[in-house]
Amino acid sequence: MVFQGGRTEKRPDLDYVLLCLINMHEDTSGYQLRSFVEKSTGYLYRAHLSQIYPALKRLHDSGLVTLREVSREGKPDLKLYKITKAGQEAAHEWLLRPYEFKNTRENGDKFFMRLIFMGHLDPEKTVQYIDEGIEELKSQREQHAKNNLKREMEYLTVSDPEIRNRYQMIWDQELAFVIAEYDLRIDWLRKIRNRLVSA
Amino acid sequence: MVFQGGRTEKRPDLDYVLLCLINMHEDTSGYQLRSFVEKSTGYLYRAHLSQIYPALKRLHDSGLVTLREVSREGKPDLKLYKITKAGQEAAHEWLLRPYEFKNTRENGDKFFMRLIFMGHLDPEKTVQYIDEGIEELKSQREQHAKNNLKREMEYLTVSDPEIRNRYQMIWDQELAFVIAEYDLRIDWLRKIRNRLVSA
DNA sequence: TACCTCATGTAAAGCGTTACATGATTCG
DNA sequence: CGAATCATGTAACGCTTTACATGAGGTA
């Protein structure tokens, strides 16, 4: 433990994901955490053991987790982690921190990922988080709808009409797909929102 | 131009994306390419200028593109690229290369990205590509449906029933969302497939 | 005046993937 | 007998992001 760093140090998202998972389940090993990252956020975010072990070391050095080593004959020591008070505060701070939206797929996925760890939170806070997400997704949806790919057909300087038509068709479909995916996500957020307010 | 390397050298996907875009439009600059990457594949894949410039250098060194420099007073030279025969072959080889599926979001997106550049191809080849994608997505969908997050609620060692219920609700919704997103993508591939065979 | 677009690049930091290193046990 | 799971880690490599460097012209 170097210095109690619960404040707002810059940390990779992985650190917070692990912190939240350790908070859900005491005495977890790095190896177990990998499979739970997989099972919980797996569709939206993944991590390799080679990222997890250094991340746990960072968390330990900052005093956000403690560890207990269990010797096992012929095998490397098992390291079981517990969250500290500072760790719980850091996790809480992360969940409440205003989400920094960027217009990328990865950024959108991470917005949804954070939601997975919000069960501990006051539902009102989660609803506020979701509302911000809905607004952002609506605006991104409109941007895509406006930046119509059809206009960009001008870029295609290929004369063969059959090829042009094929590109046109694929790009039209592509745009429709992007819009549909945004609509699905917006809908999904609304569903969760409704369940949170009606509970 | 170091050596004509049209064969199957290992290249980042970015190189092929740029190659395909240069193939669509002669005499393009790196700067223009960035905005067209944005407008064409933007939802699925993006690149910064700091990646594009080195990529163009790689393509030029391998003889896949040629360039023409246009002097402009007080400004850096404008570099306009053209694809070579070797470049067209490399792009074609990339499009026909069997897609290496991995169960990650990024990998799924890149599958769809490649489709955007298949307008030049024999539609039968594109249909075959799509069929492989549909099979893969169906299998991934089933894996997610099976790895039901409910079972993983065991991991959550928090006693408060209100918190447990909230997690349960969010995770159930999360799973439903993942499945719905797979279904949307599978549907979308079927739509494009139908348009390709009926044309 | 401040910001955006055009236009080319390099350098460093950050994050993710693959390979290496070690070794027991279990399942097909 | 080979593959998978458990269990910990380090090192190298690759791609992405941000910062730095330079500078003109247009627009709010």
Side-chain angles (χ1 to χ4, degrees):
Chain A
M1 197 187 308
V2 172
F3 183 73
Q4 63 175 94
R7 301 293 157 249
T8 314
E9 289 179 57
K10 236 185 86 183
R11 283 181 183 288
D13 286 328
L14 174 57
D15 291 28
Y16 294 105
V17 169
L18 295 177
L19 218 43
C20 290
L21 291 173
I22 294 167
N23 192 33
M24 286 181 190
H25 188 93
E26 284 203 348
D27 287 324
T28 322
S29 68
Y31 191 86
Q32 259 186 81
L33 281 164
R34 186 210 50 123
S35 78
F36 199 65
V37 168
E38 189 70 21
K39 283 165 187 165
S40 58
T41 70
Y43 183 68
L44 302 164
Y45 178 79
R46 288 194 166 123
H48 291 259
L49 283 168
S50 55
Q51 290 169 270
I52 289 173
Y53 290 123
L56 288 169
K57 194 175 180 300
R58 279 196 298 272
L59 292 174
H60 185 248
D61 287 348
S62 305
L64 305 183
V65 296
T66 55
L67 72 85
R68 181 163 68 89
E69 288 182 71
V70 180
S71 296
R72 296 167 310 156
E73 30 176 340
K75 295 179 189 176
D77 284 8
L78 185 63
K79 295 187 176 178
L80 300 176
Y81 294 87
K82 268 189 186 42
I83 196 163
T84 64
K85 193 87 207 303
Q88 287 183 321
E89 281 164 20
H92 196 250
E93 184 278 319
W94 176 63
L95 291 171
L96 292 180
R97 193 186 297 169
Y99 192 77
E100 287 178 47
F101 291 101
K102 291 177 195 173
N103 189 7
T104 67
R105 188 53 159 280
E106 216 194 327
N107 182 269
D109 283 352
K110 281 191 175 165
F111 173 84
F112 282 85
M113 182 198 75
R114 213 152 105 174
L115 211 43
I116 289 174
F117 301 111
M118 291 196 171
H120 278 89
L121 245 57
D122 175 4
E124 271 181 53
K125 300 285 183 188
T126 310
V127 167
Q128 197 196 315
Y129 179 81
I130 289 174
D131 285 340
E132 281 163 25
I134 291 174
E135 283 316 300
E136 176 66 23
L137 289 185
K138 275 161 75 176
S139 121
Q140 284 183 21
R141 193 209 114 111
E142 291 321 306
Q143 268 177 48
H144 278 283
K146 225 170 36 187
N147 280 4
N148 200 316
L149 282 169
K150 278 177 213 161
R151 274 198 317 121
E152 298 313 320
M153 281 295 290
E154 302 159 19
Y155 182 91
L156 184 66
T157 57
V158 171
S159 48
D160 187 330
E162 208 180 303
I163 292 176
R164 287 189 71 87
N165 283 343
R166 233 162 17 225
Y167 275 114
Q168 180 85 60
M169 185 277 282
I170 295 174
W171 295 357
D172 283 355
Q173 285 297 114
E174 151 83 6
L175 181 64
F177 160 70
V178 169
I179 301 294
E181 206 161 274
Y182 271 112
D183 287 340
L184 182 69
R185 291 178 165 223
I186 292 167
D187 259 27
W188 185 66
L189 286 180
R190 289 202 176 119
K191 258 181 213 164
I192 293 205
R193 203 206 116 100
N194 288 343
R195 301 254 177 128
L196 282 169
V197 290
S198 70
Chain B
M1 196 188 311
V2 172
F3 183 71
Q4 61 175 99
R7 300 296 155 245
T8 314
E9 290 177 60
K10 235 184 87 183
R11 282 178 185 290
D13 286 329
L14 175 58
D15 291 28
Y16 293 106
V17 169
L18 295 177
L19 218 42
C20 288
L21 290 173
I22 295 166
N23 191 33
M24 286 180 190
H25 189 93
E26 286 202 347
D27 287 324
T28 321
S29 67
Y31 190 86
Q32 259 185 81
L33 282 164
R34 186 208 52 122
S35 79
F36 199 65
V37 168
E38 189 69 21
K39 284 166 186 164
S40 58
T41 70
Y43 184 68
L44 303 164
Y45 177 79
R46 288 195 164 121
H48 290 260
L49 283 168
S50 55
Q51 290 170 272
I52 290 173
Y53 291 124
L56 288 169
K57 193 175 181 301
R58 279 197 297 272
L59 293 174
H60 185 248
D61 287 347
S62 306
L64 304 185
V65 297
T66 56
L67 71 86
R68 182 164 68 87
E69 289 183 70
V70 180
S71 297
R72 296 167 311 156
E73 29 176 341
K75 295 177 189 176
D77 284 7
L78 184 64
K79 294 187 175 178
L80 300 175
Y81 295 86
K82 268 191 188 42
I83 197 164
T84 63
K85 194 85 207 301
Q88 288 184 320
E89 281 163 21
H92 196 249
E93 184 277 320
W94 177 64
L95 291 171
L96 293 181
R97 193 186 296 167
Y99 192 76
E100 287 179 48
F101 292 100
K102 292 177 196 172
N103 190 7
T104 67
R105 191 51 161 279
E106 214 195 328
N107 183 269
D109 283 352
K110 281 191 176 166
F111 173 84
F112 282 85
M113 182 197 76
R114 211 152 105 176
L115 211 43
I116 289 175
F117 301 111
M118 291 195 172
H120 278 89
L121 245 56
D122 175 4
E124 272 180 53
K125 299 286 182 187
T126 310
V127 167
Q128 197 196 315
Y129 179 80
I130 290 173
D131 285 340
E132 282 162 24
I134 291 174
E135 283 316 300
E136 177 65 23
L137 289 184
K138 276 161 73 177
S139 122
Q140 286 183 20
R141 194 207 113 111
E142 291 320 306
Q143 268 177 49
H144 279 283
K146 225 171 35 186
N147 281 5
N148 200 319
L149 281 170
K150 276 177 215 161
R151 272 199 318 122
E152 299 313 320
M153 281 295 291
E154 300 160 20
Y155 183 90
L156 184 65
T157 57
V158 171
S159 48
D160 186 330
E162 207 179 303
I163 293 177
R164 287 188 72 86
N165 283 342
R166 225 149 38 214
Y167 274 114
Q168 180 85 60
M169 185 277 282
I170 295 174
W171 296 357
D172 282 356
Q173 286 297 115
E174 152 81 7
L175 181 64
F177 161 70
V178 169
I179 301 293
E181 205 160 275
Y182 271 112
D183 287 340
L184 182 69
R185 289 176 166 225
I186 292 167
D187 259 25
W188 186 65
L189 286 180
R190 288 200 177 121
K191 257 181 212 164
I192 294 206
R193 202 205 118 100
N194 288 343
R195 300 254 177 129
L196 282 169
V197 291
S198 70

PDB file of all heavy atoms in Angstrom, chain B residues 69-96:
ATOM      1  N   GLU B  69       2.703  14.177 -56.309  1.00  0.00           N
ATOM      2  CA  GLU B  69       2.775  15.298 -55.376  1.00  0.00           C
ATOM      3  C   GLU B  69       2.441  16.606 -56.075  1.00  0.00           C
ATOM      4  O   GLU B  69       2.980  16.905 -57.131  1.00  0.00           O
ATOM      5  CB  GLU B  69       4.152  15.377 -54.729  1.00  0.00           C
ATOM      6  CG  GLU B  69       4.370  14.241 -53.736  1.00  0.00           C
ATOM      7  CD  GLU B  69       5.707  14.310 -53.010  1.00  0.00           C
ATOM      8  OE1 GLU B  69       5.877  15.213 -52.182  1.00  0.00           O
ATOM      9  OE2 GLU B  69       6.565  13.462 -53.299  1.00  0.00           O
ATOM     10  N   VAL B  70       1.559  17.382 -55.472  1.00  0.00           N
ATOM     11  CA  VAL B  70       1.143  18.657 -56.028  1.00  0.00           C
ATOM     12  C   VAL B  70       1.630  19.768 -55.100  1.00  0.00           C
ATOM     13  O   VAL B  70       1.238  19.815 -53.935  1.00  0.00           O
ATOM     14  CB  VAL B  70      -0.398  18.734 -56.160  1.00  0.00           C
ATOM     15  CG1 VAL B  70      -0.828  20.074 -56.742  1.00  0.00           C
ATOM     16  CG2 VAL B  70      -0.916  17.575 -57.004  1.00  0.00           C
ATOM     17  N   SER B  71       2.509  20.631 -55.637  1.00  0.00           N
ATOM     18  CA  SER B  71       3.022  21.722 -54.816  1.00  0.00           C
ATOM     19  C   SER B  71       1.964  22.813 -54.663  1.00  0.00           C
ATOM     20  O   SER B  71       1.246  23.130 -55.598  1.00  0.00           O
ATOM     21  CB  SER B  71       4.268  22.328 -55.464  1.00  0.00           C
ATOM     22  OG  SER B  71       5.283  21.357 -55.529  1.00  0.00           O
ATOM     23  N   ARG B  72       1.866  23.348 -53.467  1.00  0.00           N
ATOM     24  CA  ARG B  72       0.950  24.458 -53.222  1.00  0.00           C
ATOM     25  C   ARG B  72       1.706  25.484 -52.384  1.00  0.00           C
ATOM     26  O   ARG B  72       2.333  25.140 -51.399  1.00  0.00           O
ATOM     27  CB  ARG B  72      -0.283  23.957 -52.440  1.00  0.00           C
ATOM     28  CG  ARG B  72      -1.113  22.960 -53.221  1.00  0.00           C
ATOM     29  CD  ARG B  72      -2.098  22.283 -52.300  1.00  0.00           C
ATOM     30  NE  ARG B  72      -1.414  21.799 -51.098  1.00  0.00           N
ATOM     31  CZ  ARG B  72      -2.004  21.575 -49.928  1.00  0.00           C
ATOM     32  NH1 ARG B  72      -3.283  21.779 -49.798  1.00  0.00           N
ATOM     33  NH2 ARG B  72      -1.313  21.150 -48.906  1.00  0.00           N
ATOM     34  N   GLU B  73       1.642  26.720 -52.803  1.00  0.00           N
ATOM     35  CA  GLU B  73       2.438  27.765 -52.128  1.00  0.00           C
ATOM     36  C   GLU B  73       2.062  27.902 -50.654  1.00  0.00           C
ATOM     37  O   GLU B  73       0.903  27.986 -50.305  1.00  0.00           O
ATOM     38  CB  GLU B  73       2.259  29.124 -52.841  1.00  0.00           C
ATOM     39  CG  GLU B  73       0.904  29.279 -53.533  1.00  0.00           C
ATOM     40  CD  GLU B  73       0.715  30.665 -54.155  1.00  0.00           C
ATOM     41  OE1 GLU B  73       1.430  31.597 -53.762  1.00  0.00           O
ATOM     42  OE2 GLU B  73      -0.170  30.786 -55.026  1.00  0.00           O
ATOM     43  N   GLY B  74       3.085  27.885 -49.820  1.00  0.00           N
ATOM     44  CA  GLY B  74       2.892  28.111 -48.390  1.00  0.00           C
ATOM     45  C   GLY B  74       2.252  26.952 -47.635  1.00  0.00           C
ATOM     46  O   GLY B  74       2.018  27.049 -46.438  1.00  0.00           O
ATOM     47  N   LYS B  75       1.935  25.878 -48.345  1.00  0.00           N
ATOM     48  CA  LYS B  75       1.310  24.722 -47.694  1.00  0.00           C
ATOM     49  C   LYS B  75       2.126  23.471 -48.002  1.00  0.00           C
ATOM     50  O   LYS B  75       2.850  23.440 -48.989  1.00  0.00           O
ATOM     51  CB  LYS B  75      -0.121  24.516 -48.228  1.00  0.00           C
ATOM     52  CG  LYS B  75      -1.072  25.641 -47.892  1.00  0.00           C
ATOM     53  CD  LYS B  75      -2.426  25.370 -48.520  1.00  0.00           C
ATOM     54  CE  LYS B  75      -3.324  26.585 -48.395  1.00  0.00           C
ATOM     55  NZ  LYS B  75      -4.615  26.388 -49.080  1.00  0.00           N
ATOM     56  N   PRO B  76       1.998  22.448 -47.159  1.00  0.00           N
ATOM     57  CA  PRO B  76       2.702  21.198 -47.491  1.00  0.00           C
ATOM     58  C   PRO B  76       2.174  20.630 -48.803  1.00  0.00           C
ATOM     59  O   PRO B  76       1.020  20.842 -49.162  1.00  0.00           O
ATOM     60  CB  PRO B  76       2.376  20.284 -46.314  1.00  0.00           C
ATOM     61  CG  PRO B  76       1.185  20.876 -45.641  1.00  0.00           C
ATOM     62  CD  PRO B  76       1.248  22.335 -45.897  1.00  0.00           C
ATOM     63  N   ASP B  77       3.061  19.910 -49.517  1.00  0.00           N
ATOM     64  CA  ASP B  77       2.652  19.296 -50.781  1.00  0.00           C
ATOM     65  C   ASP B  77       1.426  18.421 -50.583  1.00  0.00           C
ATOM     66  O   ASP B  77       1.309  17.706 -49.590  1.00  0.00           O
ATOM     67  CB  ASP B  77       3.781  18.408 -51.332  1.00  0.00           C
ATOM     68  CG  ASP B  77       4.898  19.243 -51.943  1.00  0.00           C
ATOM     69  OD1 ASP B  77       4.852  20.482 -51.817  1.00  0.00           O
ATOM     70  OD2 ASP B  77       5.812  18.644 -52.528  1.00  0.00           O
ATOM     71  N   LEU B  78       0.534  18.464 -51.552  1.00  0.00           N
ATOM     72  CA  LEU B  78      -0.635  17.586 -51.541  1.00  0.00           C
ATOM     73  C   LEU B  78      -0.205  16.265 -52.167  1.00  0.00           C
ATOM     74  O   LEU B  78       0.391  16.248 -53.236  1.00  0.00           O
ATOM     75  CB  LEU B  78      -1.744  18.246 -52.359  1.00  0.00           C
ATOM     76  CG  LEU B  78      -3.102  17.571 -52.419  1.00  0.00           C
ATOM     77  CD1 LEU B  78      -3.741  17.518 -51.051  1.00  0.00           C
ATOM     78  CD2 LEU B  78      -3.992  18.315 -53.393  1.00  0.00           C
ATOM     79  N   LYS B  79      -0.520  15.161 -51.500  1.00  0.00           N
ATOM     80  CA  LYS B  79      -0.136  13.851 -52.048  1.00  0.00           C
ATOM     81  C   LYS B  79      -1.377  13.104 -52.495  1.00  0.00           C
ATOM     82  O   LYS B  79      -2.233  12.764 -51.669  1.00  0.00           O
ATOM     83  CB  LYS B  79       0.625  13.045 -50.995  1.00  0.00           C
ATOM     84  CG  LYS B  79       1.965  13.658 -50.632  1.00  0.00           C
ATOM     85  CD  LYS B  79       2.751  12.740 -49.723  1.00  0.00           C
ATOM     86  CE  LYS B  79       4.130  13.322 -49.481  1.00  0.00           C
ATOM     87  NZ  LYS B  79       4.923  12.481 -48.552  1.00  0.00           N
ATOM     88  N   LEU B  80      -1.455  12.839 -53.784  1.00  0.00           N
ATOM     89  CA  LEU B  80      -2.631  12.159 -54.331  1.00  0.00           C
ATOM     90  C   LEU B  80      -2.271  10.733 -54.731  1.00  0.00           C
ATOM     91  O   LEU B  80      -1.316  10.515 -55.484  1.00  0.00           O
ATOM     92  CB  LEU B  80      -3.162  12.950 -55.528  1.00  0.00           C
ATOM     93  CG  LEU B  80      -3.591  14.391 -55.191  1.00  0.00           C
ATOM     94  CD1 LEU B  80      -3.993  15.138 -56.461  1.00  0.00           C
ATOM     95  CD2 LEU B  80      -4.728  14.396 -54.179  1.00  0.00           C
ATOM     96  N   TYR B  81      -3.049   9.782 -54.222  1.00  0.00           N
ATOM     97  CA  TYR B  81      -2.745   8.364 -54.413  1.00  0.00           C
ATOM     98  C   TYR B  81      -3.618   7.701 -55.470  1.00  0.00           C
ATOM     99  O   TYR B  81      -4.781   8.055 -55.659  1.00  0.00           O
ATOM    100  CB  TYR B  81      -2.894   7.618 -53.094  1.00  0.00           C
ATOM    101  CG  TYR B  81      -1.890   8.050 -52.060  1.00  0.00           C
ATOM    102  CD1 TYR B  81      -2.141   9.146 -51.234  1.00  0.00           C
ATOM    103  CD2 TYR B  81      -0.669   7.387 -51.935  1.00  0.00           C
ATOM    104  CE1 TYR B  81      -1.204   9.563 -50.296  1.00  0.00           C
ATOM    105  CE2 TYR B  81       0.275   7.800 -51.004  1.00  0.00           C
ATOM    106  CZ  TYR B  81      -0.002   8.887 -50.185  1.00  0.00           C
ATOM    107  OH  TYR B  81       0.922   9.299 -49.258  1.00  0.00           O
ATOM    108  N   LYS B  82      -2.989   6.729 -56.162  1.00  0.00           N
ATOM    109  CA  LYS B  82      -3.692   5.881 -57.137  1.00  0.00           C
ATOM    110  C   LYS B  82      -3.366   4.439 -56.781  1.00  0.00           C
ATOM    111  O   LYS B  82      -2.267   4.151 -56.309  1.00  0.00           O
ATOM    112  CB  LYS B  82      -3.121   6.140 -58.550  1.00  0.00           C
ATOM    113  CG  LYS B  82      -3.799   7.179 -59.392  1.00  0.00           C
ATOM    114  CD  LYS B  82      -3.226   7.056 -60.817  1.00  0.00           C
ATOM    115  CE  LYS B  82      -3.680   8.168 -61.746  1.00  0.00           C
ATOM    116  NZ  LYS B  82      -3.722   9.530 -61.236  1.00  0.00           N
ATOM    117  N   ILE B  83      -4.298   3.547 -57.037  1.00  0.00           N
ATOM    118  CA  ILE B  83      -4.032   2.124 -56.761  1.00  0.00           C
ATOM    119  C   ILE B  83      -3.282   1.515 -57.948  1.00  0.00           C
ATOM    120  O   ILE B  83      -3.458   1.948 -59.088  1.00  0.00           O
ATOM    121  CB  ILE B  83      -5.346   1.369 -56.454  1.00  0.00           C
ATOM    122  CG1 ILE B  83      -5.071   0.022 -55.776  1.00  0.00           C
ATOM    123  CG2 ILE B  83      -6.184   1.195 -57.719  1.00  0.00           C
ATOM    124  CD1 ILE B  83      -6.278  -0.593 -55.098  1.00  0.00           C
ATOM    125  N   THR B  84      -2.431   0.519 -57.681  1.00  0.00           N
ATOM    126  CA  THR B  84      -1.728  -0.181 -58.758  1.00  0.00           C
ATOM    127  C   THR B  84      -2.421  -1.522 -59.002  1.00  0.00           C
ATOM    128  O   THR B  84      -3.326  -1.910 -58.262  1.00  0.00           O
ATOM    129  CB  THR B  84      -0.263  -0.464 -58.377  1.00  0.00           C
ATOM    130  OG1 THR B  84      -0.247  -1.342 -57.242  1.00  0.00           O
ATOM    131  CG2 THR B  84       0.484   0.817 -58.060  1.00  0.00           C
ATOM    132  N   LYS B  85      -1.977  -2.222 -60.021  1.00  0.00           N
ATOM    133  CA  LYS B  85      -2.501  -3.562 -60.308  1.00  0.00           C
ATOM    134  C   LYS B  85      -2.306  -4.460 -59.082  1.00  0.00           C
ATOM    135  O   LYS B  85      -3.235  -5.151 -58.654  1.00  0.00           O
ATOM    136  CB  LYS B  85      -1.763  -4.139 -61.526  1.00  0.00           C
ATOM    137  CG  LYS B  85      -2.423  -5.365 -62.135  1.00  0.00           C
ATOM    138  CD  LYS B  85      -3.506  -4.983 -63.138  1.00  0.00           C
ATOM    139  CE  LYS B  85      -4.601  -6.058 -63.259  1.00  0.00           C
ATOM    140  NZ  LYS B  85      -4.110  -7.406 -63.682  1.00  0.00           N
ATOM    141  N   ALA B  86      -1.089  -4.420 -58.523  1.00  0.00           N
ATOM    142  CA  ALA B  86      -0.783  -5.225 -57.331  1.00  0.00           C
ATOM    143  C   ALA B  86      -1.712  -4.835 -56.177  1.00  0.00           C
ATOM    144  O   ALA B  86      -2.136  -5.691 -55.392  1.00  0.00           O
ATOM    145  CB  ALA B  86       0.674  -5.042 -56.915  1.00  0.00           C
ATOM    146  N   GLY B  87      -2.028  -3.556 -56.106  1.00  0.00           N
ATOM    147  CA  GLY B  87      -2.925  -3.074 -55.062  1.00  0.00           C
ATOM    148  C   GLY B  87      -4.319  -3.643 -55.217  1.00  0.00           C
ATOM    149  O   GLY B  87      -4.952  -4.070 -54.237  1.00  0.00           O
ATOM    150  N   GLN B  88      -4.810  -3.657 -56.462  1.00  0.00           N
ATOM    151  CA  GLN B  88      -6.142  -4.204 -56.705  1.00  0.00           C
ATOM    152  C   GLN B  88      -6.196  -5.691 -56.374  1.00  0.00           C
ATOM    153  O   GLN B  88      -7.183  -6.178 -55.821  1.00  0.00           O
ATOM    154  CB  GLN B  88      -6.540  -3.976 -58.173  1.00  0.00           C
ATOM    155  CG  GLN B  88      -6.848  -2.500 -58.458  1.00  0.00           C
ATOM    156  CD  GLN B  88      -7.327  -2.266 -59.870  1.00  0.00           C
ATOM    157  OE1 GLN B  88      -6.817  -2.866 -60.818  1.00  0.00           O
ATOM    158  NE2 GLN B  88      -8.308  -1.379 -60.016  1.00  0.00           N
ATOM    159  N   GLU B  89      -5.098  -6.376 -56.703  1.00  0.00           N
ATOM    160  CA  GLU B  89      -5.036  -7.809 -56.385  1.00  0.00           C
ATOM    161  C   GLU B  89      -5.042  -8.040 -54.883  1.00  0.00           C
ATOM    162  O   GLU B  89      -5.723  -8.944 -54.384  1.00  0.00           O
ATOM    163  CB  GLU B  89      -3.781  -8.445 -57.009  1.00  0.00           C
ATOM    164  CG  GLU B  89      -3.945  -8.729 -58.489  1.00  0.00           C
ATOM    165  CD  GLU B  89      -2.609  -8.963 -59.202  1.00  0.00           C
ATOM    166  OE1 GLU B  89      -1.619  -9.288 -58.507  1.00  0.00           O
ATOM    167  OE2 GLU B  89      -2.558  -8.794 -60.436  1.00  0.00           O
ATOM    168  N   ALA B  90      -4.289  -7.218 -54.171  1.00  0.00           N
ATOM    169  CA  ALA B  90      -4.228  -7.353 -52.706  1.00  0.00           C
ATOM    170  C   ALA B  90      -5.600  -7.091 -52.073  1.00  0.00           C
ATOM    171  O   ALA B  90      -6.026  -7.819 -51.170  1.00  0.00           O
ATOM    172  CB  ALA B  90      -3.191  -6.403 -52.133  1.00  0.00           C
ATOM    173  N   ALA B  91      -6.288  -6.058 -52.571  1.00  0.00           N
ATOM    174  CA  ALA B  91      -7.614  -5.733 -52.047  1.00  0.00           C
ATOM    175  C   ALA B  91      -8.582  -6.880 -52.317  1.00  0.00           C
ATOM    176  O   ALA B  91      -9.357  -7.286 -51.441  1.00  0.00           O
ATOM    177  CB  ALA B  91      -8.138  -4.452 -52.692  1.00  0.00           C
ATOM    178  N   HIS B  92      -8.513  -7.416 -53.530  1.00  0.00           N
ATOM    179  CA  HIS B  92      -9.373  -8.527 -53.920  1.00  0.00           C
ATOM    180  C   HIS B  92      -9.105  -9.760 -53.058  1.00  0.00           C
ATOM    181  O   HIS B  92     -10.035 -10.407 -52.566  1.00  0.00           O
ATOM    182  CB  HIS B  92      -9.122  -8.848 -55.401  1.00  0.00           C
ATOM    183  CG  HIS B  92     -10.189  -9.688 -56.014  1.00  0.00           C
ATOM    184  ND1 HIS B  92      -9.970 -10.997 -56.396  1.00  0.00           N
ATOM    185  CD2 HIS B  92     -11.490  -9.419 -56.310  1.00  0.00           C
ATOM    186  CE1 HIS B  92     -11.089 -11.499 -56.897  1.00  0.00           C
ATOM    187  NE2 HIS B  92     -12.026 -10.569 -56.860  1.00  0.00           N
ATOM    188  N   GLU B  93      -7.837 -10.029 -52.852  1.00  0.00           N
ATOM    189  CA  GLU B  93      -7.448 -11.171 -52.007  1.00  0.00           C
ATOM    190  C   GLU B  93      -7.999 -11.003 -50.594  1.00  0.00           C
ATOM    191  O   GLU B  93      -8.523 -11.939 -49.994  1.00  0.00           O
ATOM    192  CB  GLU B  93      -5.914 -11.283 -51.995  1.00  0.00           C
ATOM    193  CG  GLU B  93      -5.360 -12.483 -51.224  1.00  0.00           C
ATOM    194  CD  GLU B  93      -5.255 -12.252 -49.715  1.00  0.00           C
ATOM    195  OE1 GLU B  93      -4.874 -11.130 -49.289  1.00  0.00           O
ATOM    196  OE2 GLU B  93      -5.569 -13.172 -48.959  1.00  0.00           O
ATOM    197  N   TRP B  94      -7.921  -9.793 -50.080  1.00  0.00           N
ATOM    198  CA  TRP B  94      -8.429  -9.510 -48.713  1.00  0.00           C
ATOM    199  C   TRP B  94      -9.926  -9.784 -48.630  1.00  0.00           C
ATOM    200  O   TRP B  94     -10.404 -10.425 -47.683  1.00  0.00           O
ATOM    201  CB  TRP B  94      -8.132  -8.059 -48.332  1.00  0.00           C
ATOM    202  CG  TRP B  94      -8.674  -7.637 -46.990  1.00  0.00           C
ATOM    203  CD1 TRP B  94      -8.308  -8.142 -45.779  1.00  0.00           C
ATOM    204  CD2 TRP B  94      -9.663  -6.622 -46.743  1.00  0.00           C
ATOM    205  NE1 TRP B  94      -9.003  -7.494 -44.778  1.00  0.00           N
ATOM    206  CE2 TRP B  94      -9.842  -6.557 -45.330  1.00  0.00           C
ATOM    207  CE3 TRP B  94     -10.390  -5.743 -47.550  1.00  0.00           C
ATOM    208  CZ2 TRP B  94     -10.737  -5.660 -44.732  1.00  0.00           C
ATOM    209  CZ3 TRP B  94     -11.272  -4.861 -46.940  1.00  0.00           C
ATOM    210  CH2 TRP B  94     -11.440  -4.821 -45.554  1.00  0.00           C
ATOM    211  N   LEU B  95     -10.665  -9.310 -49.628  1.00  0.00           N
ATOM    212  CA  LEU B  95     -12.120  -9.469 -49.613  1.00  0.00           C
ATOM    213  C   LEU B  95     -12.543 -10.933 -49.705  1.00  0.00           C
ATOM    214  O   LEU B  95     -13.566 -11.318 -49.136  1.00  0.00           O
ATOM    215  CB  LEU B  95     -12.756  -8.665 -50.754  1.00  0.00           C
ATOM    216  CG  LEU B  95     -12.692  -7.140 -50.628  1.00  0.00           C
ATOM    217  CD1 LEU B  95     -13.163  -6.462 -51.904  1.00  0.00           C
ATOM    218  CD2 LEU B  95     -13.508  -6.657 -49.426  1.00  0.00           C
ATOM    219  N   LEU B  96     -11.737 -11.730 -50.403  1.00  0.00           N
ATOM    220  CA  LEU B  96     -12.092 -13.145 -50.571  1.00  0.00           C
ATOM    221  C   LEU B  96     -11.516 -14.039 -49.475  1.00  0.00           C
ATOM    222  O   LEU B  96     -11.937 -15.183 -49.320  1.00  0.00           O
ATOM    223  CB  LEU B  96     -11.617 -13.654 -51.933  1.00  0.00           C
ATOM    224  CG  LEU B  96     -12.316 -13.057 -53.161  1.00  0.00           C
ATOM    225  CD1 LEU B  96     -11.753 -13.674 -54.433  1.00  0.00           C
ATOM    226  CD2 LEU B  96     -13.834 -13.284 -53.092  1.00  0.00           C
TER     227      LEU B  96
END
